[in-house]
């Protein structure tokens, strides 16, 4: 288990019409400042390859499936499969992440605690290793 990566099961409201999932800020350890989604990913393409200095995110695959490889500040690694709209991954702290094995129809929705800020990104794995070894 990685301390800063928490798989969550979201509550589904299902009836004979279908299912609904609601995410409210009081269910999350952060206020949502930004939402983005990744879709129409070309076959075989991996994305991500970065960590954040100060960002909390909730990742949900609302359609299809995606795998997320995470490496934490102890350089422990784990791969998480998101393959249902009621599964989510909370990522907080210094975590390197790579998204891969996107299915054809995959739509990855990300709720984030901060606005987009390129200065918050660590996009070089050697730099990530330097930062975690000195933190
Ligand atoms: P990028 O960081 O390459 O995506 P990924 O994490 O999937 O590898 O982002 C793609 C482009 O979108 C890049 O030009 C930055 C921009 N972008 C925004 O403008 N706002 C955002 O919230 C995000 C996540 C990216």
């Amino acid at each position: 288990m990685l301390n800063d990566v928490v798989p969550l099961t979201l509550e589904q409201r299902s009836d004979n019409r279908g299912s609904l999932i609601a995410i409210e800020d009081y269910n999350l350890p952060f206020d949502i400042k930004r939402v983005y989604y990744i879709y129409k990913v070309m076959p075989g393409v991996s994305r991500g390859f970065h960590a954040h200095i100060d960002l909390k995110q909730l990742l949900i695959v609302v359609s299809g499936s995606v795998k997320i490889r995470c490496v934490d500040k102890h350089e422990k690694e784990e791969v998480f499969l998101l393959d249902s709209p009621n599964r989510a991954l909370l990522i907080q702290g210094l975590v390197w992440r790579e998204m891969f094995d996107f299915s054809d129809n995959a739509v990855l929705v990300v709720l984030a605690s901060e606005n987009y800020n390129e200065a918050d990104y660590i996009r070089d794995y050697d730099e990530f290793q330097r930062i975690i070894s000195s933190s």
Side-chain angles (χ1 to χ4, degrees):
M1 270 299 268
L2 308 188
N3 283 340
D4 290 330
V5 183
V6 186
L8 299 173
T9 301
L10 306 174
E11 188 186 347
Q12 306 185 81
R13 295 166 198 284
S14 299
D15 56 33
N16 56 12
R17 299 168 301 167
S19 298
L20 181 152
I21 291 173
I23 297 167
E24 307 228 19
D25 52 2
Y26 57 76
N27 296 134
L28 287 177
F30 60 89
D31 290 336
I32 300 161
K33 271 207 184 159
R34 173 169 56 115
V35 176
Y36 63 91
Y37 31 102
I38 296 172
Y39 58 103
K40 287 191 181 170
V41 174
M42 295 296 145
V45 167
S46 300
R47 302 190 57 133
F49 297 93
H50 62 254
H52 288 279
I53 296 164
D54 182 22
L55 185 70
K56 297 185 173 76
Q57 292 187 313
L58 188 76
L59 285 69
I60 306 159
V61 175
V62 294
S63 168
S65 63
V66 179
K67 289 180 186 152
I68 325 270
R69 175 179 294 115
C70 295
V71 183
D72 74 2
K73 57 177 181 282
H74 306 295
E75 244 189 318
K76 277 205 292 187
E77 180 181 329
E78 195 166 336
V79 173
F80 298 87
L81 171 67
L82 291 180
D83 61 354
S84 167
N86 77 326
R87 315 249 343 253
L89 203 60
L90 175 66
I91 303 182
Q92 40 197 351
L94 274 174
V95 175
W96 183 265
R97 77 282 312 265
E98 300 169 8
M99 294 87 83
F100 63 105
D101 274 3
F102 285 79
S103 66
D104 271 358
N105 54 341
V107 182
L108 168 62
V109 176
V110 182
L111 314 181
S113 63
E114 303 297 335
N115 291 323
Y116 175 71
N117 174 14
E118 187 57 39
D120 185 64
Y121 279 75
I122 305 163
R123 291 194 184 270
D124 178 74
Y125 194 78
D126 291 340
E127 189 191 350
F128 173 70
Q129 284 179 310
R130 271 197 302 279
I131 291 173
I132 58 176
S133 63
S134 63
S135 69

